[in-house]
Amino acid sequence: MELHNRDVRTDVRELGALVGDVLAAQASTEAYETVEALRNTAIAYRRGDAPDRDALHEAVDGLSTTREEVVARAFTTYFELINLAEERERVRAVRNADDETALHDSFDATIAEFAEAGVDAAELEELLADVLIEPTFTAHPTEARRSTVKSKLRSIANHLEELDERNLTERERRAVWRDVTAEVTSLWGTRQVRQRAPEPEDEARNVQWYLENTLFDVVGDAYEEFEETISKEYDDVDCPKLFEFRSWAGSDRDGNPFVTPEVTDETLERQRAVAVEKYRDRCKQLSAVLSQGGDRYADSDELAESLAADAERFPTVVEEARERYPDEPYRQKLRLMRERLDRVNDVRPGEYPDGDAFLADLDIIADSLRADGQESVLESFIEPFRRQVDTFGLTLASLDLRDHRENHTEAVAEAVAVEGVDYRGMDESERQEFLTEAILQEDPVVDLDEPGDVSETTERVLRRFASFADWQDEYGQQAIDTYCISMTEEPSHVLEVLFLADQVSVVSLPDHCAVDVVPLLETESALNGADRILGTLFENDAYAAALEARGEVQEVMLGYSDSNKENGFLAANWDLYENQRRIARFCREEEVTLRLFHGRGGSISRGGGPMNEALLALPNETVTGQVKFTEQGEAIAEKYADPRIAERELEQMLDAQIRARKEANEEPVEDVPDRWAEAMETMAPAARETYRDLLNTDGFVSYFEQATPISVVEDLNLGSRPASRSGERSVEDLRAIPWVFSWTQTRLILPGWYAIASGIDAYLDEVGEEDGMETLREMFDEWPFFRTTLDNASLALARTEPEIATEYADLADEDLRERFFPELVSEYERGCELVLDISGRDQLLRREWLEESLGRRNPYVDPLNLLQVDLLGRTHRTEEEERTLRLTVNGIAAGMKNTG
């Protein structure tokens, strides 16, 4: 049976033609001809029909200022639509493979494999019980696209789905295509570039959109599929809770002064309101279904008792329900459940205190239906609803708080100074001793509500902690129960947060601790000092009591972005791998359950890449079953905008995690041969030295400023957070996102591969070419960590275009260009050669669809790059030229499908 009416080539061809039609109609025929000439000239060179890009240069150089803007808009619009075409092709691939039971990385195949291997029901239940996957949405980087643009693109995507999956008459098809044409015409006239930076509230609403409009409905379908898959091979194995969703949007204060307590409170309130409204709607829908009369089915004792309790709580409402639904107990119960939901945001008593209480009422209905033999009703209507409530509670997504450790130190020092304590004058051990005693004593040390005359930074920190207790009282502990500390370097940095939480009774030891305090280890010194930091904390009386109150679970966050920016791609990956193993071994010795929180970005250099491969490549020692990771920027839309793709993402995450957990149970300590580790111990330091030499070479920062669009990226209004920590221009001070974004724009994706060749060559020089290559090929074939690392570098190398990068290098002063660019190209070329040699492949890309995608995109990105270079090279730009320059950044980001 054919599931689809179209294919990706049809979508690309028709959408591309539509862009041309709209361009001609909305601009002019001459503008259309200009864009077509640029497109065909770029394609001619890529196909080998032209010896160089001289003709493309001449065409770009000859554009008028007005025509430049039209060209940038045309190619940007094209990429936005082609991205939709490729998203639709992903859906086709998933549906077709599912229909043919040929999905790779599928939960179905894994369960069948487990059964064949002799995994019994008890072992499978234990594996599933261990798993908890927590995707955590962050606001940075915000997507380059405006919300208005995203909304229009979603509408077009829905029309493409209709054309592809429905059997339409010719008249109906024309009507749908007319609507697509209207949306593209509207898109053409819509500003692509933000005129103002998004506010934290905008970012929180953006994250909320995916939770509310996609994931909320997908979760029920996903669990239904999981349960059906399990039942094919196993009887009586229940599928437990496997996913929770969390968010930093509206609560991440690190480097963002605009995330105030008011923003966080508004985010919590809005998310709860969405969850309540969703559940209220579901209850109304259920009421239409559960019309069974009490004379035909015997409602359970528990349901009768629950209705009796409701009668005492809401006598008037119960009387109204009985009159409206006489002898219909399910409808009566659902009416009372809606009443309790209505009171969640109301001053009247009787509301549901949390999601668990609402779930308990839903379970009463489920048990009664089961007792009456109405399993089909239960499975179709109640179970998906139960999964939604179990996953989203009344919070939609739990929030994590985060701030930089320096701000906590400053706040503690100022607050206790009022009480005569010289915290600044203490050394590390003295600070630990003071904080421990202060936490364990019953009386508070400081009054956070009235701290006295303190700095703005301290006032902000103390206000946040004072609000922390109020948020938990109002929205429940689960709504906001994690505090992450950026740039943690010492045990006192963790104890400072515990102390501040204690002062507002979020913590009251030994019995009460309503927060997980999470050190974020992102520098080389912090990662290498993880044993020391955690060991000191675990032995600390106050922290040990807090850990016990939290069930002996320690969450540790690993920073991929800053690790990479500090050490380079290869060294950072090895440092993270080794230190994860070290942390895991230490926690196991201390009988503490480790939950790793992977701070991954969208790009390869920031920990990006396929999540299922990343999970399978983690060291066995770290796979406790619980895992948490960030989802950012365009990656959120790519994974969670379409329901079918979102469901497939959840399945792949679960599949990878349960397989990894099974392997970890069978081999708790990963067997890494000494020669592999020794190879990495040679390669990583050599790569780090090469990378740091580049960054520390006099003039490199100037070269980076001149040969990339960093100055434009910083002013793009991509997010509410400033682009740098202090406003100074240095690689160290610059945030990882604009660092990566700027290189990506130039098509020289240096953060994803630079120094990997130097590292490998250092190893080959030490052990010899023949023996070294044999070991490296063995590592690639048999070691998931090394294979994934090399595959990710290969992807970054494949997306690098040295010829285009040359255009940007030519913008730099000649001496800077000659000093840096040849070295970058040399490292790139040797990297390509080595990766191909080790992998045994004849090309860098291992996925055919990705090769096709890049082949489709490159000729269209090239004119945007050349136009951007031309604009960057102008000493004085008009306001119109500045707008066009910013538009080229959006267009290249859409073409590369990545910001930072």
Side-chain angles (χ1 to χ4, degrees), residues 125 128-131 223 238-243 387 390:
E125 281 192 322
L128 290 167
D130 286 342
V131 170
Y223 275 106
D238 293 327
C239 185
K241 180 177 180 177
L242 301 167
F243 293 92
R387 294 299 189 179
D390 196 26

Side-chain angles (χ1 to χ4, degrees), residues 716-731:
L716 256 188
N717 294 327
L718 287 182
S720 65
R721 186 171 69 171
S724 66
R725 291 181 170 88
S726 67
E728 298 178 2
R729 177 58 57 75
S730 69
V731 173

Side-chain angles (χ1 to χ4, degrees), residues 615-886:
L615 292 173
L616 287 168
L618 294 175
N620 288 5
E621 296 93 320
T622 71
V623 183
T624 61
Q626 300 185 36
V627 67
K628 191 172 171 182
F629 46 84
T630 51
E631 300 277 30
Q632 309 180 1
E634 273 83 0
I636 296 177
E638 190 171 335
K639 292 181 179 182
Y640 302 110
D642 183 276
R644 290 193 183 95
I645 292 174
E647 185 174 345
R648 172 67 172 148
E649 288 287 338
L650 296 184
E651 181 197 9
Q652 287 187 295
M653 291 174 195
L654 173 59
D655 176 65
Q657 189 65 359
I658 194 171
R659 286 166 58 197
R661 181 58 182 157
K662 180 177 181 293
E663 185 176 334
N665 286 344
E666 294 170 352
E667 188 182 341
V669 178
E670 188 170 4
D671 181 19
V672 179
D674 290 343
R675 64 184 179 281
W676 296 359
E678 288 164 3
M680 290 304 305
E681 289 294 351
T682 300
M683 290 187 286
R688 180 185 292 109
E689 183 178 355
T690 298
Y691 177 81
R692 288 184 175 174
D693 282 348
L694 173 70
L695 267 61
N696 294 328
T697 299
D698 185 43
F700 177 72
V701 172
S702 296
Y703 176 78
F704 173 63
E705 288 180 314
Q706 294 175 27
T708 76
I710 178 60
S711 60
V712 185
V713 168
E714 288 178 324
D715 294 331
L716 256 188
N717 294 327
L718 287 182
S720 65
R721 186 171 69 171
S724 66
R725 291 181 170 88
S726 67
E728 298 178 2
R729 177 58 57 75
S730 69
V731 173
E732 181 180 12
D733 184 68
L734 191 71
R735 293 192 182 279
I737 294 163
W739 163 253
V740 176
F741 193 1
S742 299
W743 288 114
T744 302
Q745 287 278 303
T746 72
R747 315 280 287 281
L748 187 75
I749 310 179
L750 174 154
W753 50 257
Y754 187 78
I756 192 169
S758 293
I760 294 172
D761 276 334
Y763 171 66
L764 295 177
D765 289 344
E766 180 176 291
V767 301
E769 182 88 15
E770 186 175 345
D771 290 344
M773 287 304 298
E774 183 180 349
T775 298
L776 291 172
R777 288 169 184 148
E778 179 186 279
M779 291 163 63
F780 182 83
D781 290 339
E782 301 178 24
W783 192 11
F785 158 74
F786 188 68
R787 182 170 57 253
T788 300
T789 300
L790 220 62
D791 279 344
N792 285 337
S794 180
L795 179 57
L797 287 164
R799 299 176 73 205
T800 293
E801 293 278 345
E803 282 192 46
I804 296 294
T806 300
E807 307 284 347
Y808 288 86
D810 287 342
L811 293 170
D813 295 339
E814 186 176 353
D815 64 322
L816 292 176
R817 183 196 185 285
E818 292 307 310
R819 198 185 320 167
F820 294 107
F821 190 63
E823 173 59 31
L824 300 182
V825 172
S826 174
E827 187 73 20
Y828 161 79
E829 291 175 345
R830 180 60 175 158
C832 292
E833 180 185 344
L834 287 167
V835 166
L836 291 174
D837 200 356
I838 293 168
S839 67
R841 299 176 184 140
D842 56 7
Q843 58 185 19
L844 291 168
L845 293 173
R846 61 190 176 94
R847 294 181 176 89
E848 185 178 342
W849 65 265
L850 185 54
E851 184 179 4
E852 290 178 2
S853 176
L854 287 179
R856 218 173 2 246
R857 291 164 182 278
N858 281 335
Y860 295 81
V861 184
D862 294 350
L864 282 177
N865 280 120
L866 296 187
L867 176 56
Q868 185 180 92
V869 168
D870 191 24
L871 290 164
L872 286 170
R874 298 176 191 176
T875 307
H876 300 290
R877 289 185 290 269
T878 65
E879 186 176 332
E880 186 176 3
E881 289 171 333
E882 286 288 351
R883 285 199 306 271
T884 301
L885 179 56
R886 290 195 294 273

